[in-house]
Amino acid sequence: MFSDADVAALYDQLAPWDPARAECAFVTEHVLAASDVLDVGCGTGSLLHDARERGHTGRLTGVDPDPAMLDRARRHPGVEWVAGKAADLGWTAEFDLATMTSNAFQCLITDADLRASLRAIHTALRPGGRFVFGTRHPQARAWTGWHPGNASDVETADGRKLRMWHEAVMGTDGVVALSETTATPDGTVLRVDRGELRFLDPAELNAFLAEAGYVIEAQYGDWVRGPLTDDSREIITVALRP
């Protein structure tokens, strides 16, 4: 077996928050400049833990629906950890910055969930607050690389050897059905996790943001502030609550 706690530990190992990486540097810059920060889909809490270690003295709050991820996040003191989804946020004008990292924005699948989530984050921000997030640009067709031929061999922190691969199928309305298989090196399957990711193009994304009351302050095609073009692989957005 490969438990939910094992998955969370492996995620922490494979995706550490490293400000030398472009996404981490971009988001960390915004976090350290804000007094009160809300990280939606915080996972194991690495972003907020790093911010606290870097001397952030304001309020840091992480929200995630995954109990195993939050169990690991709660090992880090000095941060408020909350179980829940974006649409369920109940704060009003309490934060200067909200973030969604690691393409967590793509887990908002339906129009209804997108609208409710964007509105709840908007409400949680103070006037003048910012929502910073990234999402994969559909024109780059990232899902075409998610197949068993691109399997990865990994070793957990306690020395367990694994083979992992993904399979993806594009459905309707830009929603990709995704499975992640974790197996032993000889291919014995330990678990299969399934989910969905939604790919929005810039026009669709910006329409949802405008409807929720945001103003686009900046939008880039990568995490180093390159222009958003027909060749961009990502859509990086800084949205303002007026």
Side-chain angles (χ1 to χ4, degrees):
M1 296 295 294
F2 198 69
S3 69
D4 290 350
D6 292 329
V7 171
L10 184 59
Y11 179 86
D12 237 2
Q13 175 186 331
L14 298 180
W17 191 259
D18 178 7
R21 286 198 299 119
E23 177 184 7
C24 300
F26 185 100
V27 177
T28 296
E29 177 184 328
H30 282 85
V31 169
L32 294 180
S35 297
D36 302 303
V37 180
L38 173 65
D39 186 19
V40 182
C42 66
T44 60
S46 298
L47 161 59
L48 298 183
H49 173 58
D50 178 76
R52 189 65 85 206
E53 285 201 326
R54 289 174 180 275
H56 193 289
T57 58
R59 180 182 179 185
L60 298 176
T61 301
V63 176
D64 201 279
D66 187 316
M69 291 287 192
L70 277 182
D71 281 347
R72 287 191 69 81
R74 289 188 173 111
R75 299 176 309 157
H76 305 309
V79 179
E80 178 184 7
W81 304 112
V82 179
K85 298 181 179 181
D88 301 328
L89 301 179
W91 293 290
T92 299
E94 295 190 31
F95 298 94
D96 304 303
L97 177 71
T99 62
M100 289 187 82
T101 63
S102 302
N103 297 304
F105 187 85
Q106 290 187 256
C107 295
L108 306 177
I109 303 301
T110 67
D111 287 1
D113 194 21
L114 268 165
R115 290 188 171 103
S117 299
L118 287 172
R119 196 67 214 165
I121 294 169
H122 184 279
T123 300
L125 289 169
R126 299 184 179 108
R130 291 171 174 82
F131 177 31
V132 174
F133 65 96
T135 181
R136 299 177 184 90
H137 201 308
Q139 70 189 0
R141 298 174 59 84
W143 62 87
T144 62
W146 300 337
H147 57 78
N150 282 338
S152 298
D153 293 312
V154 299
E155 184 174 338
T156 65
D158 59 2
R160 192 174 185 180
K161 292 180 171 57
L162 302 169
R163 171 158 281 221
M164 302 179 70
W165 64 87
H166 298 87
E167 296 178 76
V169 177
M170 172 59 82
T172 59
D173 298 323
V175 177
V176 169
L178 180 67
S179 67
E180 179 182 78
T181 300
T182 304
T184 61
D186 66 5
T188 301
V189 173
L190 301 174
R191 65 183 285 149
V192 179
D193 294 293
R194 303 183 190 279
E196 294 179 311
L197 297 174
R198 185 169 182 180
F199 287 75
L200 295 169
D201 66 32
E204 293 170 319
L205 172 61
N206 291 348
F208 278 110
L209 288 168
E211 181 184 335
Y214 296 91
V215 173
I216 305 298
E217 184 174 79
Q219 210 158 44
Y220 307 104
D222 56 44
W223 289 105
V224 293
R225 295 179 171 83
L228 184 59
T229 71
D230 292 340
D231 298 319
S232 297
R233 300 187 61 83
E234 297 171 296
I235 308 167
I236 312 305
T237 300
V238 180
L240 180 72
R241 176 185 175 176

